[in-house]
């Protein structure tokens, strides 16, 4: 009898790449519609106050909750992803995120139920974070663990493309709604539409994920009986340096992104006299550069190495921080748009190879847990409080200090990249 009859069915290239991309696109769409609403809608509906700055800060505080819950999602889903497989875990993570997002669309406002409204909003945001904490790592591994060694960064960038696509979709939807509805109608019910409509995207992702088979790397680990009973404990015991330095290495990626999106949208529309529509258009244009540089950086990373690529780009981000005040305060929309495009280009360059770089720090048996935890812990440090911290710095000092904030973070990440272990584990 031919031994191949017992070999597991392999995923086709189309299923692997589309399956990893569609999930992260849906997850990030859900995540970013909250970011837009946290700036444009939630301050009035859930945190009414005589002081608009206080309302915005409270709204952004709920935005940070998801970053705090993402490591929990990483730990839970990472455990089962390393124990029972990538496929089942990815399906459950997608459902968790989807339900949390749709529920936000049905929440009553503060005027209707008082303090219960922001509390329910926080609970849903917590659920979004748990879902995304389990989603990202699994999607990256689905791509990378099916990739040939010389194309690992190229495969690994497909789930990363979900971020700019999700951002374009979410920003485009909000732009369309604000253009076609009165301000009163948008505040009353229009903002709910993208949250509720995301359920359709979740159903598509659910169907695609169900038709994907397990990755070869995980199947090989099962056959070799190298699974760990508690992957998280193994990770902390034997790979804590990779976890710590991997977290610090990825920190600047998060900070750059949320300064370029949530902070600039809030600051430009509240303090620099840009309309929400005009600045959303500027941001959406810059996201095209984010999407363009993800595959370009992946090609470079496969040629010169993931770590070296990230070091070069992070040094460039440190220098970019010194342009923050000059560009944003220029009063020239073209200069500001160019600034956003450069920032998002750098974001694409660091984000493209990041998933592959983090996954290569850990062996198969703890890779889901390790990759997810490093990525999501960096989200807490780099992004959870970044919009609030940046608004505080800009308000009390100046935009120059927001740039310094980014530059200092980039220097820390460069140091982490320089000292981190260069060993790559078997796939």
């Amino acid at each position: 009898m031919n031994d191949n009859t017992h070999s597991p069915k392999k995923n086709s290239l189309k299923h692997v790449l589309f399956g990893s991309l569609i999930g992260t696109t849906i997850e990030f769409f859900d995540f970013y519609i909250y970011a837009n609403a946290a700036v444009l809608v939630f301050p009035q509906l859930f945190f009414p106050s005589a002081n608009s700055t206080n309302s915005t800060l409270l709204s952004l505080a709920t935005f940070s909750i998801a970053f705090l819950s993402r490591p929990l999602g990483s730990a839970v889903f990472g455990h089962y992803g390393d124990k029972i497989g990538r496929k089942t875990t990815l399906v459950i993570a997608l459902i968790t995120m989807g339900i949390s997002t749709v529920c936000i669309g049905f929440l009553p406002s503060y005027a209707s139920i008082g303090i219960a409204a922001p509390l329910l909003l926080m609970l849903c945001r917590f659920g979004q974070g748990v879902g995304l904490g389990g989603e990202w790592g699994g999607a990256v591994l689905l791509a990378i663990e099916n990739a040939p060694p010389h194309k690992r960064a190229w495969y690994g960038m497909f789930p990363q493309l979900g971020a700019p696509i999700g951002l374009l979709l979410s920003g485009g939807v909000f732009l369309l709604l604000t253009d076609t509805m009165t301000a009163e109608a948008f505040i009353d019910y229009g903002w709910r539409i993208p949250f509720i409509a995301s359920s359709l995207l979740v159903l598509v992702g659910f169907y695609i994920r169900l038709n994907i088979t397990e990755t070869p790397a995980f199947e090989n680990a099962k056959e070799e009986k190298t699974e760990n009973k508690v992957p998280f404990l193994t990770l902390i015991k034997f790979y804590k340096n990779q976890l710590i330095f991997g977290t610090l290495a990825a920190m600047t990626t998060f900070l750059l992104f949320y300064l370029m999106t949530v902070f600039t949208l809030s600051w430009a529309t509240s303090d620099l006299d840009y309309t929400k529509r005009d600045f959303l258009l500027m941001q959406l244009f810059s996201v095209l550069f984010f999407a363009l540089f993800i595959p370009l950086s992946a090609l470079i990373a496969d040629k010169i190495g993931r770590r070296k690529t990230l070091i070069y780009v992070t040094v460039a981000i440190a220098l970019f921080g010194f342009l923050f005040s000059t560009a944003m305060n220029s009063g020239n929309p073209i200069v500001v748009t160019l600034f956003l495009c450069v920032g998002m280009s750098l974001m694409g360059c660091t984000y493209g190879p990041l998933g592959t770089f983090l996954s290569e720090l850990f062996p198969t048996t703890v890779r889901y847990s390790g990759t997810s935890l490093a990525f999501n812990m960096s989200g807490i440090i780099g992004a959870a409080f970044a919009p609030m911290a940046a608004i505080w710095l800009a308000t009390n000092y100046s935009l120059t200090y927001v740039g310094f904030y980014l530059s200092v973070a980039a220097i820390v990440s460069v140091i982490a990249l320089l000292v981190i272990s260069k060993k790559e584990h078997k796939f």
Side-chain angles (χ1 to χ4, degrees):
M1 182 183 288
N2 190 337
D3 289 339
N4 290 335
T5 58
H6 296 288
S7 61
K9 175 187 171 185
K10 289 186 177 180
N11 291 307
S12 68
L13 176 62
K14 176 180 69 175
H15 275 92
V16 167
L17 299 184
F18 189 61
S20 61
L21 173 62
I22 188 67
T24 53
T25 298
I26 294 166
E27 299 279 2
F28 281 107
F29 171 78
D30 288 359
F31 207 67
Y32 295 151
I33 56 176
Y34 191 100
N36 283 321
V39 172
L40 302 175
V41 178
F42 292 164
Q44 304 99 290
L45 288 185
F46 291 94
F47 305 97
S49 169
N51 188 319
S52 61
T53 300
N54 287 343
S55 293
T56 299
L57 287 174
L58 286 170
S59 178
L60 291 176
T62 68
F63 174 77
S64 69
I65 288 172
F67 291 98
L68 300 177
S69 63
R70 277 166 73 160
L72 175 62
S74 300
V76 174
F77 287 110
H79 173 83
Y80 289 105
D82 285 327
K83 288 287 289 179
I84 65 175
R86 309 341 188 182
K87 174 184 172 177
T88 303
T89 308
L90 277 169
V91 170
I92 299 172
L94 184 65
I95 293 172
T96 302
M97 181 78 173
I99 291 174
S100 300
T101 303
V102 172
C103 285
I104 293 173
F106 290 102
L107 288 181
S109 67
Y110 186 93
S112 299
I113 60 172
I115 192 65
L119 291 177
L120 288 171
L121 181 67
M122 292 164 65
L123 179 63
C124 291
R125 184 59 173 170
F126 183 87
Q128 279 193 316
V130 171
L132 188 56
E135 159 67 29
W136 180 86
V140 168
L141 297 193
L142 177 64
I144 294 171
E145 291 185 345
N146 280 284
H150 63 287
K151 288 188 175 181
R152 213 172 277 150
W154 177 253
Y155 275 55
M157 72 86 187
F158 275 87
Q160 303 295 71
L161 278 174
I165 295 173
L167 184 56
L168 281 169
L169 288 174
S170 62
V173 167
F174 269 90
L175 195 62
L176 178 65
L177 291 172
T178 53
D179 272 358
T180 56
M181 304 178 75
T182 64
E184 293 76 16
F186 178 72
I187 290 292
D188 185 34
Y189 68 89
W191 67 272
R192 300 177 183 275
I193 294 173
F195 287 93
I196 297 170
S198 70
S199 59
L200 301 176
L201 293 175
V202 171
L203 289 174
V204 173
F206 180 72
Y207 173 77
I208 292 169
R209 287 278 171 84
L210 283 179
N211 287 281
I212 292 174
T213 59
E214 196 50 79
T215 69
F218 183 79
E219 292 292 349
N220 291 336
K222 280 178 64 179
E223 289 177 9
E224 295 170 7
K225 300 189 187 311
T226 54
E227 306 110 301
N228 287 303
K229 288 186 177 180
V230 186
F232 180 77
L233 295 181
T234 302
L235 183 70
I236 298 301
K237 185 175 181 180
F238 297 105
Y239 302 100
K240 59 178 176 293
N241 286 341
Q242 288 90 332
L243 188 60
I244 292 169
F245 290 118
T247 296
L248 294 176
M251 168 183 68
T252 301
T253 302
F254 277 93
L255 178 58
L256 175 64
F257 180 79
Y258 285 99
L259 289 183
M260 289 291 99
T261 53
V262 179
F263 168 71
T264 55
L265 177 61
S266 177
W267 189 258
T269 55
S270 62
D271 290 76
L272 299 180
D273 297 324
Y274 287 91
T275 66
K276 291 174 181 177
R277 183 184 187 281
D278 288 346
F279 203 81
L280 271 174
L281 280 172
M282 293 158 66
Q283 281 193 329
L284 287 175
F285 180 71
S286 72
V287 173
L288 297 176
F289 290 82
F290 180 21
L292 174 65
F293 278 88
I294 286 176
L296 288 177
S297 65
L299 288 171
I300 295 169
D302 275 332
K303 288 187 179 297
I304 69 172
R306 273 66 83 177
R307 180 169 165 271
K308 190 179 291 185
T309 301
L310 287 172
I311 289 172
Y312 291 155
V313 176
T314 310
V315 169
I317 293 171
L319 298 174
F320 173 75
F322 291 97
L323 301 176
F324 222 101
S325 178
T326 303
M328 287 294 290
N329 285 327
S330 66
N332 187 332
I334 295 176
V335 173
V336 175
T337 302
L338 181 61
F339 169 75
L340 293 174
C341 290
V342 173
M344 293 306 267
S345 297
L346 290 170
M347 178 63 200
C349 288
T350 185
Y351 199 61
L354 182 65
T356 306
F357 169 76
L358 291 177
S359 72
E360 289 173 339
L361 298 176
F362 307 99
T364 303
T365 53
V366 295
R367 187 172 292 135
Y368 201 134
S369 300
T371 304
S372 297
L373 272 173
F375 183 77
N376 290 304
M377 288 296 291
S378 67
I380 290 181
I381 300 173
F385 304 102
M388 288 187 295
I391 288 173
W392 184 83
L393 286 169
T395 302
N396 292 282
Y397 297 95
S398 70
L399 281 172
T400 301
Y401 285 83
V402 178
F404 291 163
Y405 177 28
L406 178 61
S407 297
V408 170
I411 291 169
V412 173
S413 289
V414 169
I415 294 171
L417 287 163
L418 290 171
V419 302
I420 204 165
S421 170
K422 298 180 184 179
K423 180 181 177 183
E424 289 185 11
H425 293 276
K426 174 186 173 183
F427 274 73

